[in-house]
């Protein structure tokens, strides 16, 4: 049928199918600012304005737009300079989003911009609540909504012709605030810090940001640096604010087919008979693959370094099915509709086996064996005959003897749920053969280099015939550390010779990607009467689901990080007495995997709830008790010498640790000191008969990269105009790593980040990097970038020395120039022309690569302030405060954005998120509406502060930021509930029903 409508003020006539959604029609016509995140109108990523009103285009038929006006982000504004053509530039909303750091992965950004534009047109002076309400239809999994709200308020002020309002900050920063924009003034030559030499920030200096209705974002950069420490705009923000086609699904290829999977409806069993003849006969179908059609290659989907520290137990397609959602068959067809019809035509007869849905039954005698395939390749202590994917036994000191010396022994049992990462961009991949018969895999992955290596044997190709390209990623959070759909998409390309695109639906994303491991945890702790911990034991039963990817390493990190925070070394001999015992079992449930935090949130929930129980049991202030026992700078990392992700472990020293300062500042911000004598649990403030208010705390630590393993590399080359190409294998998944890596190079070379064209990552063009996980990019890849930049700086100084007649070692780089000691200078552009075209011609370029023996832990104090309705069990989290020691903060805007977004995910873990399975192993809530992640209007106040330390093992003193925000919210909220009500809540999420039952003793 013909659709006549106006798109971005231009009349259009399109041929559309009667059942085609407006989203599909727009994207089919190249309008890629409209994104796909679900099919049910629940994520808002597909928002357009229909006659001015924001609506979700995935739930609207294209035909419904007939005669109407549709506006998308493409009409909002564009880059002001298009060669000789100049435009009106970006819309103030787009500018505000860029300046406020409101864009992380940018997948939701076009929709947020349109929702905000509609609001400001009808209400130029909105309140914060009105802004939150307007944004509430667009889910964002990255930002915590703080900076998008700030950006809208800022744009509103600018559009009204006003100066953006000053920040109504409750706690002023310790140093004068800087605007978001980079400073313009040139420093005097003698003020310059020599490139690459960084002084430690003053002790106690606090980098701060206000995180709710505060304009502008206040940041304080360490005075010694120009670019490192400044809230530089993200290097990819301008394209993301315009909705440019930057993501995998935005690529169109001639002859591209659509790949789709048939998923298992049973939790455990065999394909007894499968008939694909009718599907293959359907016009438009180009391939139907079953286990009988492709080689049977056992492998792991876990995107990790070689050798993969886990069992090989997965096949692209298999006759045995191990969970609901497992793969039965794959189809490639000319359209999604045909592909779906083909799936419907596949006839399958299943032979069901008894299924294990409860991990406690998995190792029981007589339990069904989930992995009995002969190709199964074990790693370390796994035992498929007992459904054991991994086992960990660590003992430091003599735990039993130390327990006997303790005045008290405290015990507790805890349980944490299976939750989903829910990046708004689902898993998506395009594969095709290039003109050299090399297989190109364009995929939304956190691990492009691992993907290439791991897929080679599965596809029967040498590594050199595979190229993996990672464009922008619409959020990953560990979900895309899995090489999960690339294999099947590539099999379909091999089968058809055609480009194939596979993109999960939201239901598939929930069911057939990965999730966080649910765990049952038992704690046992020996304590002296004065509160000194002398022995600590954690026992874990972890559920990896149908496959053992990440089984060992996720669960190992549960103990490795959590059990190192309190080293249990307060006995007479000062040695740590720690026991960590973990069994990771297979069940017939959807597979677990990596999720931001990587096992550590599962460890801190029981640990920090247990610490609360002990403190209150001994009548001690919960915070003082923790600080009495917490690990100190100068001490060894307790667990480092015992375990290192299944590889050889080495001792590590903790060189920097500001946990006491974090706790002090956090306590001040949450009002902990208003209660110098802590109330007994249950004595929380009573504001109404049925409401109780309480405050809780949790201390946490994480790691920074995997020591002696994680490696990153970078190459840097100079162009004719003095600009640089920075190529990194590191994988920016929306976190801003491209930006902070650019800032480090800029600092060394004395020129602004805008002079760098930063590109990540493509296995053909960028150097190797292990990828985005383990909070390693700023630390590992950053050090590689600094090394490459120092190499380039040396070469620049040599050329400048010749041009200026000065010794190269005395040349300084700043302000896009090379300076001689007497004040004469040559610009980098002049220098580049000299080097490339005039004399002693050569390309100025260098590479750097880095691996570290250290994994310096970031530390943080997390506080929560909650109200509990004791009649309904409803918890309202009023405020979250997180104060972190993450070393030097390279970019306060991206760092605070990471923390705000991480705390928001962690808040979902605490109070509402849970994947619920029925008695047959089917997921009950595979959609956003039922699963529930936080929306803009549901958020509590968030407050984030950094207490910088200077980590001496990194050239700029950094430690990790990305994962630690996930660790402390759930226990801090639970401890606040305990404070308010006197009721412990050992199981999360703290749903009203669960809290109500705890309150009523049921
Ligand atoms: S894609 Fe339309 S609401 Fe999710
Ligand atoms: S920035 Fe909103 S989903 Fe990533």
């Amino acid at each position: 049928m013909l659709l006549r409508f106006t798109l971005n003020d231009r009349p259009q006539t399109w041929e559309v199918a009667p059942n085609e959604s407006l989203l599909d029609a727009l994207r089919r016509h190249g309008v890629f600012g409209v994104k796909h995140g679900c099919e049910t109108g629940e994520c808002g990523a597909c928002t357009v304005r229909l006659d001015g009103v924001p609506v979700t285009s995935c739930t609207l038929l294209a035909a419904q737009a007939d005669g109407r006006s549709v506006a998308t982000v493409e009409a909002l504004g564009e880059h002001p300079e298009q060669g000789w053509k100049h435009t009106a530039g970006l819309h103030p909303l787009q500018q505000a989003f860029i300046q406020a750091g409101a864009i992380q992965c940018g997948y939701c950004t076009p929709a947020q911009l349109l929702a905000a534009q509609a609001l400001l047109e009808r209400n130029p002076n909105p309140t914060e609540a009105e802004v939150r309400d307007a944004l509430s239809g667009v889910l964002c999994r990255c930002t915590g909504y703080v900076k998008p709200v700030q950006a809208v308020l800022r744009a509103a002020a600018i559009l009204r012709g006003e100066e953006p309002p000053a920040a109504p900050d409750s706690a002023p920063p310790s140093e004068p605030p800087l605007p978001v924009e980079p400073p313009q003034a040139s420093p005097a030559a003698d003020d310059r810090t020599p490139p690459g030499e960084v002084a430690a920030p003053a002790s106690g200096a606090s980098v701060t940001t206000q995180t709710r209705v505060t304009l502008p974002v206040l940041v304080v950069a360490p005075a010694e640096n120009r670019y490192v420490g400044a809230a530089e705009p993200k290097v990819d923000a301008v394209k993301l604010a315009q909705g440019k086609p930057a993501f995998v699904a935005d690529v169109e290829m001639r002859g591209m087919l659509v790949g789709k999977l048939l998923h298992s409806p049973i939790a455990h069993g065999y394909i007894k008979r499968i008939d694909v003849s009718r599907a293959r006969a359907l016009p438009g179908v180009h391939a139907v693959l079953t286990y009988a059609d492709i080689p049977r290659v056992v492998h792991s989907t876990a995107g990790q370094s070689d050798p993969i520290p886990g069992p090989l137990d997965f096949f692209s397609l298999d006759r045995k099915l191990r969970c609901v959602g497992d793969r039965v068959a794959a189809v490639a067809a000319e359209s999604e509709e045909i592909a779906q019809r083909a799936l419907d035509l596949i006839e399958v007869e299943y032979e069901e086996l008894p299924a294990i849905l409860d991990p406690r039954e998995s190792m029981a005698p007589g339990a069904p064996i989930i992995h009995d395939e002969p190709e199964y390749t074990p790693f370390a202590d796994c035992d498929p005959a007992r459904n054991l994917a991994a086992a960990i036994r660590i003992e430091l000191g003599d735990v039993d003897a130390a327990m006997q010396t303790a005045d008290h022994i405290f015990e507790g049992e805890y349980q944490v749920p299976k939750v989903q990462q829910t990046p708004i961009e689902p898993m998506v991949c395009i594969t095709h053969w290039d003109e050299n018969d090399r297989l190109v895999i364009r995929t939304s992955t956190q691990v492009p280099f691992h993907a290439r290596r791991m897929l080679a044997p599965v596809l029967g190709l040498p590594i050199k015939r595979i190229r993996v390209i990672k464009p922008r990623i619409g959020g990953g959070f560990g979900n895309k550390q899995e090489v999960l759909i690339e294999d099947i998409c590539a099999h379909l390309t091999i089968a058809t010779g055609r480009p194939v695109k596979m993109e999960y639906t939201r239901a598939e994303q929930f069911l057939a990607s990965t999730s966080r491991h649910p765990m049952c945890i038992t704690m046992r702790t020996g304590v002296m009467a004065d509160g000194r911990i002398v022995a600590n034991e954690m026992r874990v039963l972890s559920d990896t689901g149908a496959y053992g990817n990440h089984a060992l390493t996720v669960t190992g990190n549960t103990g490795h990080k959590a059990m190192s925070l309190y080293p249990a070394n307060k006995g007479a001999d000062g040695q740590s007495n720690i026991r960590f015992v973990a069994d990771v079992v297979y069940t017939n449930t959807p597979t677990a995997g990596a999720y931001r935090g990587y096992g550590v949130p599962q460890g801190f929930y029981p640990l920090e709830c247990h610490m609360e129980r002990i403190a209150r049991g001994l009548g001690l202030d919960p915070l003082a008790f923790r600080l009495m026992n917490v690990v100190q700078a100068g001490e060894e990392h307790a667990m480092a010498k015992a375990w290192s992700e299944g590889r050889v472990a080495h001792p590590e020293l903790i060189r920097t640790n500001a946990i006491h300062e974090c706790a002090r500042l956090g306590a001040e911000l949450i009002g902990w000191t208003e209660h110098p004598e802590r109330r007994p649990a249950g004595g929380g403030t009573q504001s109404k008969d049925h409401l109780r208010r309480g405050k809780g705390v949790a201390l946490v630590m994480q790691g920074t990269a995997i020591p002696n393993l994680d490696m990153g590399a970078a190459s840097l080359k100079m162009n004719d105009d003095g600009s640089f190409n920075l190529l990194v294998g590191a994988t920016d998944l929306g976190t801003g790593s491209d930006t902070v890596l650019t800032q480090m190079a800029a600092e060394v070379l004395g020129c602004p980040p805008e002079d760098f064209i930063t590109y990540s990552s493509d296995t053909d063009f960028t150097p190797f990097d292990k990828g985005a996980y383990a909070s390693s990019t700023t630390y590992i890849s950053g050090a590689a970038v600094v090394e490459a930049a120092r190499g380039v700086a040396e070469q620049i100084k040599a050329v400048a020395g010749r041009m200026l007649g000065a010794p190269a070692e005395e040349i300084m780089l700043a302000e896009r120039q090379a300076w001689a000691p007497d004040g004469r200078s040559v610009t980098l552009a002049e220098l580049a022309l000299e080097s490339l075209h005039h004399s002693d011609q050569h390309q100025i370029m260098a590479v750097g690569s880095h691996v570290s023996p250290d994994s310096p832990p970031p530390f943080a104090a997390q506080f929560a302030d909650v109200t509990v309705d004791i009649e309904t069990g409803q918890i309202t989290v009023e405020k979250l405060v997180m104060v972190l020691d993450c070393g030097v903060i390279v970019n306060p805007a991206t760092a605070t954005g990471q923390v705000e977004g991480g705390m928001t995910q962690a808040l979902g873990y605490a109070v509402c998120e849970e994947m619920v399975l029925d008695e047959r192993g089917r997921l009950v809530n595979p959609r956003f509406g039922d699963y529930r992640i936080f929306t803009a209007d549901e958020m509590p106040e968030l407050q984030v502060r950094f207490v910088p330390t200077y980590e001496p093992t990194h050239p700029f003193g950094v430690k990790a930021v990305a994962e630690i925000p996930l660790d402390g919210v759930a226990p801090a909220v639970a401890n606040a509930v305990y404070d308010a009500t006197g009721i412990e809540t050992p199981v999360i999420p703290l749903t009203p029903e669960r809290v109500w039952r705890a309150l009523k003793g049921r």
Side-chain angles (χ1 to χ4, degrees):
M1 61 176 289
L2 277 188
L3 168 67
R4 292 188 179 82
F5 72 120
T6 304
L7 174 64
N8 296 329
D9 294 329
R10 293 199 177 142
Q12 307 282 339
T13 304
W14 291 357
E15 180 75 39
V16 298
N19 60 350
E20 186 171 18
S21 71
L22 181 59
L23 169 65
D24 288 345
L26 287 167
R27 290 187 60 82
R28 190 164 56 80
H29 285 82
V31 186
F32 291 119
V34 192
K35 305 295 183 195
H36 161 248
C38 69
E39 304 74 33
T40 50
E42 291 168 312
C43 78
C46 63
T47 296
V48 299
R49 296 185 66 189
L50 185 68
D51 294 338
V53 179
V55 297
T56 53
S57 60
C58 68
T59 48
L60 205 66
L61 290 175
Q64 290 175 279
D66 196 53
R68 304 176 76 175
S69 154
V70 174
T72 68
V73 76
E74 279 82 357
L76 207 55
E78 57 184 329
H79 196 290
E81 287 164 15
Q82 316 271 345
W84 48 263
K85 189 178 95 179
H86 296 267
T87 75
L90 296 174
H91 188 280
L93 268 167
Q94 292 168 306
Q95 293 178 29
F97 267 61
I98 294 166
Q99 291 168 349
I103 302 171
Q104 288 195 26
C105 80
Y107 202 73
C108 69
T109 302
Q112 285 188 332
L113 286 166
L114 292 174
Q117 185 194 28
L119 168 70
L120 297 189
E121 283 177 8
R122 68 173 189 273
N123 178 3
N125 194 6
T127 63
E128 180 195 0
E130 288 166 338
V131 173
R132 288 182 175 274
D133 184 55
L135 296 182
S136 65
V138 182
L139 295 178
C140 176
R141 194 55 158 167
C142 302
T143 63
Y145 306 102
V146 175
K147 289 178 171 56
V149 172
Q150 291 175 340
V152 176
L153 290 170
R154 182 185 189 91
I158 290 167
L159 286 165
R160 291 194 304 270
E162 300 168 9
E163 282 294 306
D169 190 17
S170 56
S174 59
E175 294 182 36
L178 299 176
V180 168
E181 292 79 12
Q184 297 301 312
S186 301
D190 56 358
D191 283 341
R192 297 191 307 264
T193 301
E197 292 178 21
V198 189
S203 167
S206 169
V207 174
T208 179
T209 180
Q210 299 78 29
T211 57
R212 195 176 170 92
V213 209
T214 53
L215 302 172
V217 178
L218 297 182
V219 296
V220 177
E224 295 80 5
N225 295 324
R226 175 69 185 273
Y227 305 112
V228 167
E232 297 285 346
K234 283 185 72 202
V235 296
D236 53 354
V238 172
K239 71 177 164 206
L240 295 172
Q242 297 174 87
K244 294 270 186 183
F247 298 90
V248 172
D250 300 340
V251 170
E252 289 289 329
M253 301 191 75
R254 192 186 297 263
M256 188 156 73
L257 303 173
V258 174
K260 276 194 98 55
L261 281 164
L262 182 66
H263 298 280
S264 170
I266 63 170
H268 197 196
Y270 289 101
I271 299 171
K272 194 170 171 187
R273 184 184 69 86
I274 184 163
D275 183 351
V276 298
S277 55
R278 290 172 65 213
R280 281 190 177 136
L282 187 70
V285 171
H286 289 256
V288 181
L289 300 178
T290 72
Y291 66 88
D293 300 308
I294 59 173
R296 184 175 167 82
V297 180
V298 72
H299 64 282
S300 168
T301 61
Q304 295 181 283
S305 292
D306 181 70
I308 291 193
L312 307 185
D313 59 5
F314 187 83
F315 303 89
S316 289
L317 291 164
D318 195 5
R319 195 171 86 84
K320 188 168 189 187
L321 305 169
R322 300 175 181 85
C323 65
V324 173
D326 227 346
R327 302 157 169 192
V328 174
V331 162
E334 283 174 9
S335 71
E336 185 164 357
E337 194 186 353
I338 296 171
Q340 185 57 54
R341 268 196 279 146
L343 294 183
D344 295 341
L345 290 173
I346 297 174
E347 294 170 24
V348 194
E349 205 179 316
Y350 298 100
E351 176 189 334
E352 278 201 65
L353 297 171
I356 306 167
L357 303 178
D358 184 338
R360 285 164 289 219
E361 295 167 7
S362 188
M363 291 202 298
I369 307 299
I370 295 173
H371 284 278
D372 50 4
E373 61 275 10
E375 299 91 340
Y376 188 97
T377 308
F379 182 86
D381 294 325
C382 66
D383 180 1
R386 292 194 301 140
N387 290 321
L388 190 63
I392 304 168
R393 304 286 184 269
I394 294 172
E395 175 106 7
L396 303 178
D398 188 336
V399 172
D400 291 334
M403 289 279 185
Q404 285 184 359
T405 68
D407 292 328
H408 305 276
I409 292 180
F410 287 84
E411 295 180 302
E413 285 182 28
Y414 305 87
Q415 199 174 311
V416 291
K418 187 178 191 70
V419 291
Q420 232 270 325
Q421 301 89 335
T422 65
I424 306 301
E425 178 202 43
M427 291 203 157
V428 55
C429 172
I430 294 174
T431 54
H432 67 95
W433 291 112
D434 72 6
E435 66 279 15
N436 295 313
D437 292 317
R438 295 175 72 235
L439 187 77
V440 180
I441 303 174
R442 186 182 302 268
T443 178
S444 182
T445 180
Q446 295 174 221
V447 287
F449 285 90
H450 291 341
R452 180 177 64 164
R453 185 191 86 246
M454 292 160 58
L455 287 167
V458 176
L459 302 176
L461 284 167
I463 289 175
K464 66 185 177 189
R465 282 189 62 196
I466 299 176
R467 173 183 176 192
V468 178
I469 302 170
K470 174 224 68 98
R472 291 294 93 186
I473 301 180
F477 318 117
N479 186 249
K480 295 170 182 171
Q481 198 195 331
E482 216 65 44
V483 185
L484 204 57
I485 64 168
E486 292 87 349
D487 65 327
I488 210 79
C489 198
H491 285 306
L492 289 169
T493 282
I494 290 171
T496 61
R498 298 267 292 263
V500 177
K501 175 161 83 174
M502 283 198 80
E503 184 174 18
Y504 268 175
T505 63
R506 183 52 54 181
E508 285 180 298
Q509 178 69 23
F510 271 107
L511 188 65
S513 68
T514 58
S515 55
R516 181 176 281 159
H517 292 70
M519 297 185 191
C520 305
I521 308 105
T522 307
M523 298 293 310
R524 191 162 174 264
T525 306
V527 197
M528 306 310 289
D530 60 3
R532 287 175 294 129
I533 300 175
V534 296
N536 204 11
E537 176 184 288
M538 176 184 276
R539 291 178 180 270
V540 173
L541 178 63
S542 175
D543 181 357
T544 189
Y547 298 96
N549 40 308
H550 301 279
L552 172 75
T553 45
V554 159
T555 308
N557 272 291
T558 303
H560 182 269
K561 304 295 187 294
M563 294 298 276
S564 296
L565 184 63
Y566 305 109
N569 58 0
K570 300 292 187 277
D573 60 3
Q575 72 170 1
S576 286
N577 299 298
I578 295 174
R579 180 178 292 142
F580 177 66
V581 174
D583 290 326
V584 191
V585 297
Y586 290 111
T587 60
N588 294 112
T589 61
T591 310
Y595 183 173
R596 189 178 182 185
Y598 207 72
V600 184
Q602 293 101 309
F604 275 112
Y605 187 73
L607 180 80
E608 283 300 274
C609 289
H610 194 61
M611 290 299 129
E612 192 76 12
R613 167 180 284 198
I614 298 170
R616 293 192 181 274
L618 296 177
L620 299 171
D621 175 272
L623 186 53
F625 163 69
R626 287 172 167 86
L627 293 174
M628 179 195 307
N629 287 291
V630 77
V631 66
Q632 308 285 328
E635 291 186 317
E636 271 197 349
H637 187 297
M639 298 284 279
K641 57 180 175 288
W643 190 83
S644 183
E645 306 248 346
R647 295 169 161 93
V648 178
H650 301 277
E652 288 175 50
L653 183 67
I654 293 176
R655 295 178 174 83
T656 52
N657 180 353
I659 189 75
H660 284 265
E661 291 82 352
C662 293
R664 180 194 55 73
L665 182 54
E668 200 179 302
L669 295 171
I670 202 76
W672 192 270
T673 49
E674 289 163 18
H675 308 276
E677 294 166 8
R678 295 294 298 165
R679 306 174 295 268
T685 314
Q686 182 175 340
S687 56
K688 289 184 183 167
D689 277 357
H690 62 292
L691 297 181
R692 300 285 185 277
R693 190 100 178 231
K695 290 171 183 161
V697 65
L699 303 186
V700 291
M701 66 185 272
Q702 189 78 25
T704 302
I706 306 170
N708 299 298
L709 179 70
D710 284 349
M711 186 215 144
S715 80
L716 189 62
K717 86 173 165 64
M718 193 178 199
N719 298 316
D720 309 49
D721 59 351
S723 69
F724 299 91
N725 290 104
L726 174 60
L727 303 183
V728 291
T731 307
D732 188 339
L733 60 153
T735 54
S737 67
D738 282 359
T739 305
V740 299
L741 297 180
T742 304
Q743 287 177 258
M744 290 189 218
E747 191 67 50
V748 174
L749 291 167
C751 49
E754 69 203 51
D755 287 0
F756 292 79
I757 304 117
T758 301
Y759 183 67
S760 68
S761 24
D762 177 330
T763 56
D764 267 14
F765 297 116
T766 60
F768 175 85
D769 193 290
K770 59 90 184 173
Y773 58 88
S775 293
S776 62
T777 304
T778 309
Y779 184 73
I780 294 290
S781 312
V785 166
V786 171
E787 186 182 318
R790 284 176 174 167
V792 165
E794 250 178 55
Q795 295 170 41
I796 290 173
K797 288 177 184 180
V799 176
R802 280 198 299 279
M803 293 175 75
L804 294 168
E809 60 277 10
E810 293 181 18
I811 300 289
M812 302 276 288
L813 302 181
E815 301 303 309
R816 295 181 167 131
Q817 296 179 64
W819 298 80
D822 60 6
R824 289 176 304 125
S825 69
V826 56
T827 67
L828 294 191
E830 292 165 340
L831 190 145
L833 278 178
E834 178 76 7
S835 157
L836 290 172
H837 300 276
H838 299 157
S839 66
D840 188 22
Q841 288 164 264
H842 66 287
Q843 171 69 62
I844 292 178
M845 68 182 297
V847 298
S849 72
H850 188 71
V851 64
S852 172
D854 295 288
S855 174
F859 293 91
Q862 176 74 59
F863 292 85
D865 182 349
V866 309
T867 297
V868 184
D869 186 327
I870 58 170
E871 291 300 320
T872 64
Q874 176 72 43
I875 296 171
T876 305
V877 178
E878 310 285 351
K879 180 174 179 177
L880 295 174
V881 171
M882 190 168 204
V883 185
L884 307 94
D885 160 18
C886 295
V888 170
I889 299 302
V890 178
N891 186 321
T894 58
T896 51
Q898 285 286 292
V899 179
E900 292 151 8
M903 277 202 289
T904 304
Q905 290 182 356
L907 183 59
Y909 191 52
V911 302
C912 58
E913 292 185 35
E914 182 169 20
M915 295 171 71
V916 180
L917 303 177
D918 69 12
E919 70 289 344
R920 301 195 62 189
R922 295 172 300 199
L923 188 58
V924 170
N925 53 347
R927 51 187 283 179
F928 278 127
D930 296 328
Y931 180 77
R932 302 286 301 133
I933 68 173
F934 270 78
T935 56
D937 58 342
E938 297 170 331
M939 290 296 300
E941 180 180 355
L942 304 179
Q943 197 162 19
V944 177
R945 295 288 178 97
F946 291 106
V947 177
T949 53
Y950 185 84
E951 172 55 41
T953 59
H954 185 275
F956 282 113
V958 309
K959 299 195 281 187
V961 178
E963 292 183 285
I964 193 168
L966 278 288
D967 294 341
V969 173
V973 167
N975 293 338
V977 171
Y978 190 8
D979 182 45
T981 65
I983 299 297
E984 291 182 83
T985 48
V987 182
I988 51 172
L990 302 177
T991 57
E993 180 183 341
R994 194 166 274 144
V995 174
W996 182 84
R997 287 186 185 282
L999 287 164
K1000 304 297 176 197
R1002 299 186 190 180

